[in-house]
Amino acid sequence: MYKSISPSNYHVLHPRPVYLIVSRNKSSSLNVMAASWVSPVSDEPFLITVSIWRGSLTHQYISETREFTINIPSEKHVDIVYKAGTTSGREVDKFKLLGLKTVKSSVIETPGLDGMLGFLECTVVNQVEVGESTLFIAEVKAVHVLEELYTRYGWDLNKAKILLHHSGRGFTTPSKLILALK
Amino acid sequence: MYKSISPSNYHVLHPRPVYLIVSRNKSSSLNVMAASWVSPVSDEPFLITVSIWRGSLTHQYISETREFTINIPSEKHVDIVYKAGTTSGREVDKFKLLGLKTVKSSVIETPGLDGMLGFLECTVVNQVEVGESTLFIAEVKAVHVLEELYTRYGWDLNKAKILLHHSGRGFTTPSKLILALK
C-alpha cells in the first residue's frame, strides 16, 4: 500500500506557502527571490526560519545587512513568484523585470512589496549551516496585512487567496475552512 | 491600506501543512503530536526542521532516541490531528485515545502511522534553541507514500487531500493546481 520513494523527494512536504523575500545590501541595492522553505519556529518571541542557498545574491545581501522582508503573494502573483524563483539577481534587476514597487518598512530599512497580501519585517538573530544553504533564524519585528482580508483568526480564506507552491510551475491555494470537533 | 498587527501574530504564515510526529523513548514507549512548524531546509542531503516545545513529552522522547517520523494526514484525519495537538502524552496514551495503529519503518526503530497519506523517517543531525522550543534539524532517511496518490510531480491534488492548519480548530486543504507561465 505504501511505496518507498527517493529519500530526497522533498516535494512530499509540498504544497506549502511561498513567499517573496526582499533583501538589501550595504549600498541599499535590493533583490527579491521566491522561497517556500520558511517556517515559524517560536511564538514568544515570534521567530521564523528561512533556508537560503549560499550561492545566491539574497544570501550575500542578508549576510551584509542581517535583515529582510517576507512578502505574502496571492494567486494573482503566480507568474511573478515563478519568475522570481527562476531568475538570478546577479544577471538581471528583478525589480525592473517584474515591475515591483516597494512600500516602506516601519522598523527595518529593507522595504516590503506593494500589492501583496501582507509582509513581515525580520532581523537575523542566529544562523546554522544546512547542506548547501544557510538557515537564517530571524525575529519578526513588525507584521502588516491588508485590513479587509485579515480576521482575528488569521487570513479570511474566502477573500485571501494565499499562494502555495506545489512543484516546478505548479501552485495552488487553500480551499474552504474545515472545523475540527471540539 | 496595510494595517500593522501584533508582531507575534504567527498565523500570518498559516495555513500551512500539518503533520503527526511520532516519537519513541529508550523503553520504546511511543507518543504522537501535531506539528505544523516543519520545513524542508536542504535538498541534498534532504534535511528538515521541526520546532518542538521544550516542555513536551515529544521533546523528551526525541532527545532520548534522536529519531522520529513525520506522518502526513489527510482531510479525513482532521479530528485526530486536532486532538493530538491539544492533549498531552504525559496525561493520556494518545495512541489509545485516537485509535492509531503503526506501520514499521525501514531504517529507524520509530514507526509510522497506518492510514496516513505517507510518512518520513528522520534522524536528528543538529539542534538549535529557539525561544521556548528546540529546532531539531533532521535528515530524512526514507519516504513512504500511498502509491495511487503520488505522481512524479508530487501529490496528486485531485486525490490527496493534504491537511493544512489555519488557526485553532480551523483547517483547510489545497484547491486546484495553477500553472505559472514559462
Side-chain angles (χ1 to χ4, degrees), chain A residues 41 51 169 171 173 175 178 180, chain B residues 41 51 169 171 173 175 178 180:
Chain A
V41 295
S51 174
R169 292 196 293 130
F171 293 80
T173 61
S175 58
I178 304 166
Chain B
V41 294
S51 174
R169 293 196 292 129
F171 294 79
T173 60
S175 59
I178 303 164

Side-chain angles (χ1 to χ4, degrees), chain A residues 1-17 19 36-49 51-52 70 72 75 78-79 82-83 103 106 113-120 126 128-133 135 137 140-148 150-157 162-164 166-167 169-182, chain B residues 1-17 19 36-49 51-52 70 72 75 78-79 82-83 103 106 113-120 126 128-133 135 137 140-148 150-157 162-164 166-167 169-182:
Chain A
M1 170 158 147
Y2 286 119
K3 73 169 169 180
S4 299
I5 58 176
S6 163
S8 65
N9 198 320
Y10 61 80
H11 288 111
V12 74
L13 299 183
H14 288 234
R16 49 189 304 109
Y19 305 104
S36 121
W37 292 2
V38 171
S39 181
V41 295
S42 159
D43 60 347
E44 191 59 53
F46 181 16
L47 302 174
I48 61 93
T49 54
S51 174
I52 306 279
I70 298 177
I72 304 172
E75 183 175 8
V78 60
D79 295 328
Y82 181 68
K83 271 270 189 294
V103 291
S106 58
L113 292 178
D114 195 27
M116 301 286 133
L117 299 177
F119 71 99
L120 291 72
N126 199 356
V128 192
E129 302 310 302
V130 284
E132 295 183 342
S133 299
L135 188 67
I137 303 173
V140 177
K141 295 293 196 177
V143 178
H144 314 279
V145 294
L146 289 183
E147 187 156 13
E148 64 276 21
Y150 205 83
T151 76
R152 55 187 290 211
Y153 303 112
W155 295 106
D156 181 338
L157 298 186
I162 300 280
L163 197 60
L164 309 170
H166 188 230
S167 169
R169 292 196 293 130
F171 293 80
T172 185
T173 61
S175 58
K176 282 186 188 167
L177 194 66
I178 304 166
L179 281 186
L181 293 173
K182 269 179 199 167
Chain B
M1 168 157 147
Y2 285 118
K3 74 168 169 182
S4 299
I5 58 175
S6 163
S8 64
N9 197 318
Y10 61 80
H11 289 112
V12 72
L13 299 183
H14 286 234
R16 50 189 305 109
Y19 305 104
S36 121
W37 292 1
V38 171
S39 180
V41 294
S42 158
D43 60 347
E44 192 60 53
F46 181 15
L47 302 173
I48 61 92
T49 54
S51 174
I52 307 280
I70 298 176
I72 304 171
E75 183 175 10
V78 61
D79 295 329
Y82 181 68
K83 271 267 187 300
V103 291
S106 58
L113 292 177
D114 195 26
M116 300 286 133
L117 298 177
F119 70 100
L120 291 72
N126 200 355
V128 192
E129 301 311 301
V130 283
E132 295 183 343
S133 299
L135 188 67
I137 303 172
V140 177
K141 295 293 197 177
V143 178
H144 313 279
V145 295
L146 289 183
E147 187 156 12
E148 64 276 20
Y150 206 83
T151 75
R152 54 185 291 208
Y153 303 111
W155 296 106
D156 180 338
L157 297 186
I162 301 282
L163 198 60
L164 308 170
H166 188 228
S167 169
R169 293 196 292 129
F171 294 79
T172 186
T173 60
S175 59
K176 282 187 189 168
L177 194 67
I178 303 164
L179 281 185
L181 293 174
K182 269 180 201 170

Side-chain angles (χ1 to χ4, degrees), chain A residues 80-96:
Chain A
I80 289 174
V81 170
Y82 181 68
K83 271 270 189 294
T86 51
T87 50
S88 167
R90 295 194 195 282
E91 282 151 24
V92 61
D93 178 339
K94 291 204 255 186
F95 273 79
K96 203 175 276 182

